[in-house]
Amino acid sequence: MKSHKLLDAIKVGFDLKNDAALVKFLGSRPPTISKIRAGKLPITPDFILLVHDMTNWEIKRIKSFL
């Protein structure tokens, strides 16, 4: 399974132990995170805004992981 830098940065930044905790933190769905990790789903502008809303990170910081 392909890892994704943005997802990993959120997990580290917010001390989330696994992808299940990441899903809960973001209010996302497990298949979405799984497909992003597998490279089967791109990170969309909507997902970037979700990350921004939940982390309060600047868009520029979020985009640096893409």
Side-chain angles (χ1 to χ4, degrees), residues 11-56:
K11 282 173 54 177
V12 170
F14 292 89
D15 197 31
L16 305 172
K17 301 214 182 284
N18 52 40
D19 279 353
L22 177 64
V23 166
K24 189 172 182 177
F25 176 78
L26 292 176
S28 187
R29 297 177 52 231
T32 301
I33 300 302
S34 178
K35 288 177 183 176
I36 289 172
R37 284 214 180 270
K40 294 181 180 181
L41 184 69
I43 294 199
T44 63
D46 287 340
F47 191 81
I48 291 172
L49 287 175
L50 171 67
V51 170
H52 167 70
D53 288 345
M54 301 311 294
T55 64
N56 206 30

